[in-house]
Amino acid sequence: MSVWDDVVGQGPAVAVLTRAARAARDGTTGMTHAWLLTGPPGSGRSTAARAFAAALACEDPAEIGCGRCSGCRTALAGSHADVTVFSTEHMQIRREDVEPLIATAQRRPSVARWRVVVVEDADRLNPTSGNVLLKTIEEPPAQTVWLLCAPAVDDVLPTIRSRSRHVPLRVPPADAVAELLVRRDGVDPAMAAFAARAAQSHVGLARRLAHDEGARIRRREVLRLPRRVRGVGDAVVAAGELVEVAAEEAGSSTTERDAREKADLLRALGAEGSTTVPPAVRAQVRQLEEDQKRRARRHQTDVLDRSLVDLLGLLRDVLVVQVGAPVELVNSDMTADVRAMAEASSPEETLRRADAVQLARERLAQNVAPLLAIEALALSLRPAQSGQ
């Protein structure tokens, strides 16, 4: 057992981080105070960061990241006193989010040798919050380590990435992801292989597809979109359905949490059990509700983006068939549909559709209204000869 067991397909990165953890323990060169872990979605950036934090907290004198000691287990579970993991549910990481992290980073570790602060989605730092964080990274406390995660180096503010040691991660092989699902989650091997391939080696999405039949059904409906859209009316209807499903999924995953957060806030403010919100606490409740709305919007955007990634995978398969590339299809369970789409269009049209999907992703990331972005995409998916 090791803290690195769930970091699949990342041998070079694991080797670098393991050497650094050993240097940190031995007091030799090779350890630094700020790290930037980058990789495409599903590569396991956060998993690798948590594993590295656990290795730094490991109490086993003979092994780095044993996975058995209290330090490793609590760090991986998110309950270690000296390991802080921050992730935002907003579109940006704000100054008020960063300031508590900086205060935490200034404190000496209580039980471990290092205090570790993990910032997921460091690409969401804006210039204000990034500059606040930069001051701490430039002059770090002696026993604090910052672990920043982002999709790519260029997504992080130049001043921060220039002061961090970069560790790139890659998309893991699908068979490695499937093996993880079988070993860790007890998934049937055939289902694990399908889920890993369909999720394009995104570990989190593969796990969800393997366990959630509803997710598999929704994915298949998304992949029917290019063949459904023949005219403007089809495009508008299909876009509305896709956005509505994403909103329902976002709502179903946040409703219970929202209610619990509101109840906790009212209890903390001494207003528990009130039939109406007392005037004295309305401002705090209103702020919480605004935060929850922003969180739901981001979740909806994330759901839509996952759907668009699935569409890109389908179009990639169509192009593979059209050009006769000797590679395995992502959607091998839809081979007949892929071949039909390939025969009904040209490589140029497939590339045009893929560009439209990528443009929709960029618009969603720029906070364009989801319905507008998806309607524009659906219109672009119409056959080139369609003038309807």
Side-chain angles (χ1 to χ4, degrees):
M1 181 177 180
S2 166
V3 298
W4 306 106
D5 285 350
D6 290 350
V7 186
V8 296
Q10 307 296 344
V14 169
V16 169
L17 296 174
T18 301
R19 285 196 299 269
R22 182 173 291 109
R25 169 175 294 180
D26 298 341
T28 58
T29 57
M31 184 59 186
T32 188
H33 65 278
W35 296 77
L36 175 59
L37 280 63
T38 66
S43 57
R45 299 184 303 262
S46 298
T47 301
R50 291 169 186 260
F52 187 29
L56 292 172
C58 183
E59 300 167 358
D60 190 321
E63 187 176 350
I64 302 295
C66 68
R68 299 178 298 272
C69 69
S70 175
C72 287
R73 288 186 287 104
T74 55
L76 290 176
S79 57
H80 195 288
D82 297 323
V83 177
T84 300
V85 179
F86 171 80
S87 61
T88 184
E89 289 167 335
H90 301 284
M91 297 305 293
Q92 291 188 328
I93 297 177
R94 305 163 299 176
R95 179 185 185 122
E96 53 265 39
D97 298 323
V98 169
E99 288 173 340
L101 297 178
I102 294 174
T104 297
Q106 297 298 324
R107 298 200 300 267
R108 292 178 60 84
S110 56
V111 295
R113 176 173 295 185
W114 298 91
R115 180 170 293 281
V116 184
V117 182
V118 179
V119 180
E120 300 178 349
D121 300 321
D123 53 305
R124 295 182 185 268
L125 286 163
N126 59 35
T128 300
S129 59
N131 286 330
V132 172
L133 179 60
L134 175 64
K135 295 177 182 177
T136 299
I137 292 180
E138 284 181 324
E139 300 177 1
Q143 291 174 289
T144 293
V145 179
W146 289 89
L147 307 181
L148 311 178
C149 305
V153 174
D154 292 342
D155 293 333
V156 180
L157 296 173
T159 48
I160 290 180
R161 67 181 187 237
S162 66
R163 291 164 175 80
S164 305
R165 183 173 174 184
H166 179 217
V167 178
L169 279 69
R170 59 193 178 188
V171 176
D175 57 354
V177 175
E179 187 277 332
L180 174 66
L181 294 177
V182 173
R183 169 173 53 83
R184 185 187 65 184
D185 301 313
V187 176
D188 174 77
M191 175 59 74
F194 158 77
R197 188 174 59 251
Q200 300 179 56
S201 294
H202 188 302
V203 177
L205 293 185
R207 186 174 188 273
R208 187 163 174 268
L209 285 173
H211 288 285
D212 187 349
E213 183 180 2
R216 297 194 293 271
I217 293 173
R218 286 191 294 272
R219 177 179 179 276
R220 193 167 186 88
E221 288 301 309
V222 168
L223 296 183
R224 290 182 58 243
L225 189 61
R227 301 197 71 187
R228 283 182 57 192
V229 176
R230 315 306 297 177
V232 174
D234 296 334
V236 172
V237 171
E241 290 176 354
L242 184 57
V243 172
E244 183 179 356
V245 168
E248 289 176 357
E249 183 172 339
S252 65
S253 65
T254 59
T255 299
E256 182 179 344
R257 179 177 176 181
D258 290 350
R260 185 174 63 251
E261 288 177 343
K262 185 173 182 179
D264 291 343
L265 177 62
L266 291 174
R267 187 181 307 111
L269 296 174
E272 183 180 14
S274 302
T275 55
T276 59
V277 178
V281 301
R282 283 177 185 168
Q284 293 94 321
V285 173
R286 191 179 305 115
Q287 181 61 55
L288 174 64
E289 291 172 345
E290 288 299 318
D291 289 343
Q292 291 173 340
K293 288 178 182 177
R294 282 192 290 267
R295 180 171 64 203
R297 282 196 296 271
R298 179 182 169 183
H299 194 105
Q300 180 186 17
T301 300
D302 290 344
V303 172
L304 287 172
D305 188 67
R306 290 201 300 267
S307 298
L308 298 187
V309 170
D310 288 336
L311 272 179
L312 283 175
L314 175 65
L315 293 171
R316 172 262 192 199
D317 286 348
V318 172
L319 189 62
V320 162
V321 172
Q322 288 172 331
V323 302
V327 296
E328 186 179 6
L329 299 183
V330 170
N331 300 282
S332 57
D333 59 314
M334 297 180 60
T335 300
D337 292 333
V338 169
R339 293 193 179 280
M341 289 180 62
E343 293 171 1
S345 62
S346 65
E348 291 77 17
E349 184 172 359
T350 301
L351 289 172
R352 176 187 65 78
R353 288 174 163 179
D355 287 342
V357 175
Q358 188 57 42
L359 178 59
R361 295 186 69 199
E362 293 171 2
R363 286 171 171 168
L364 288 174
Q366 295 165 359
N367 217 20
V368 171
L371 184 58
L372 292 178
I374 302 302
E375 281 184 348
L377 167 62
L379 290 169
S380 298
L381 293 178
R382 291 177 298 165
Q385 68 271 21
S386 175
Q388 300 177 33

